[in-house]
Amino acid sequence: MNSPNNDSRFVAGDGPVNRRTALLQERQARATDEPQADTQLTERLHRAHTRTQLGTTLAEYFATPPQAHVAPSSLHIATSVLAAGGAIVALLGLIQSALLPLAAGTGVTLLGAVGWWRTRPAQPARNSPPAAALFDTEALQTFDRCLEAAAPELDEKATQRMLEIKMAFKRMGHERPTHDEHFTVEDRLFLRECLRRYLPDTLQAYLRVPPAQRRQTLHDGQLSADDGLLQQLALLQTEIQVRENKIGRSAAEVLTRQQRFLESKKSR
């Protein structure tokens, strides 16, 4: 008896046997692809919600703004047109071998070029990068990445605390404090380490605790993970506020010295 595989009456193929089998395979393939698509959509929604909840990242907030474009004046435009017109007249005089138009056009072109140069828009002054005053870009990016990763799992109180800390960094980032008896090098280093290590380490340690156990007291006599997070954030926020006040006192020292100087010049 011939084998079905060798029998010419049988037809073999890779496709489904009938339409019912084809529909069944199509549903199975769609069911396999949908969870992956749903996961990607959920991740995008989480990122969008986090950006809306936390606002602009610190690295973007302190990025150097583009140079402002200065519009040319009316006189500058007029001298440009004058120089272009003189060049055309000089070209026509050169083509026609006419000495008078050539000389007149050349003179008008030079006059217009001098006027164009003297009336050109002044280049805007280059401002130094705002973030270079107190925070480096790497520390800002480290803080932003950690906060974005932790935001979906923070409760309302912790999120509000982090937003207040972030606003404090935004206020201080525009200052350029000098080192004196009020704001020291150690204070500057503490603020940078808060961005680079202290706050990220606290958030990462909190995320290591399973979500189901964060409200429970993990050890006898100790706080829960939620309470411990709030306590550490409050401690760091207090220390950050102390440094911000020091920056204010350091900035006011110049005004205080001027006051003492003026009082010393009062008539006796």
Side-chain angles (χ1 to χ4, degrees), residues 19-68:
R19 182 174 179 80
R20 178 180 178 184
T21 305
L23 292 176
L24 179 61
Q25 292 179 357
E26 184 178 352
R27 292 194 191 100
Q28 292 175 350
R30 190 183 301 115
T32 304
D33 295 337
E34 284 179 355
Q36 183 177 1
D38 292 342
T39 302
Q40 295 175 352
L41 178 61
T42 303
E43 291 178 354
R44 289 197 297 268
L45 291 176
H46 274 305
R47 286 195 296 268
H49 175 71
T50 300
R51 178 58 63 91
T52 303
Q53 183 182 20
L54 301 178
T56 306
T57 63
L58 289 181
E60 293 176 353
Y61 181 78
F62 289 119
T64 305
Q67 296 290 340

Side-chain angles (χ1 to χ4, degrees), residues 39-252:
T39 302
Q40 295 175 352
L41 178 61
T42 303
E43 291 178 354
R44 289 197 297 268
L45 291 176
H46 274 305
R47 286 195 296 268
H49 175 71
T50 300
R51 178 58 63 91
T52 303
Q53 183 182 20
L54 301 178
T56 306
T57 63
L58 289 181
E60 293 176 353
Y61 181 78
F62 289 119
T64 305
Q67 296 290 340
H69 176 69
V70 180
S73 63
S74 301
L75 186 58
H76 181 73
I77 297 175
T79 54
S80 302
V81 174
L82 182 64
I88 294 174
V89 172
L91 181 61
L92 292 176
L94 180 63
I95 293 174
Q96 298 176 1
S97 300
L99 183 60
L100 182 61
L102 177 60
T106 303
V108 172
T109 302
L110 292 176
L111 181 63
V114 171
W116 174 86
W117 177 260
R118 294 176 65 89
T119 59
R120 71 189 188 280
Q123 294 295 328
R126 292 182 176 272
N127 298 324
S128 53
L134 201 57
F135 310 125
D136 59 272
T137 305
E138 183 180 356
L140 294 173
Q141 292 175 347
T142 300
F143 173 82
D144 291 333
R145 288 194 299 267
C146 189
L147 180 57
E148 185 175 354
E153 301 190 40
L154 298 179
D155 59 15
E156 184 178 354
K157 292 182 179 179
T159 301
Q160 182 61 32
R161 185 79 68 178
M162 289 301 305
L163 289 176
E164 293 173 357
I165 292 174
K166 186 176 179 180
M167 287 302 300
F169 282 122
K170 285 184 176 181
R171 291 192 299 268
M172 290 184 291
H174 291 293
E175 304 297 332
R176 297 184 176 276
T178 57
H179 300 148
D180 53 20
E181 66 274 14
H182 300 295
F183 187 77
T184 63
V185 177
E186 288 75 14
D187 294 325
R188 180 188 293 266
L189 293 177
F190 175 82
L191 291 175
R192 290 187 177 182
E193 289 302 302
C194 278
L195 289 170
R196 192 174 66 89
R197 286 181 49 207
Y198 302 155
L199 285 165
D201 288 352
T202 294
L203 294 175
Q204 290 172 2
Y206 172 78
L207 295 178
R208 290 192 185 98
V209 181
Q213 302 178 20
R214 290 172 183 169
R215 295 180 181 272
Q216 304 174 4
T217 302
L218 302 180
H219 302 285
D220 295 338
Q222 293 187 3
L223 299 173
S224 64
D226 287 340
D227 294 336
L229 174 64
L230 291 176
Q231 188 180 64
Q232 294 183 29
L233 292 180
L235 175 61
L236 288 171
Q237 185 180 13
T238 301
E239 293 299 319
I240 292 170
Q241 183 64 49
V242 169
R243 272 67 180 186
E244 185 178 4
N245 294 337
K246 287 185 175 184
I247 292 176
R249 290 196 297 270
S250 179

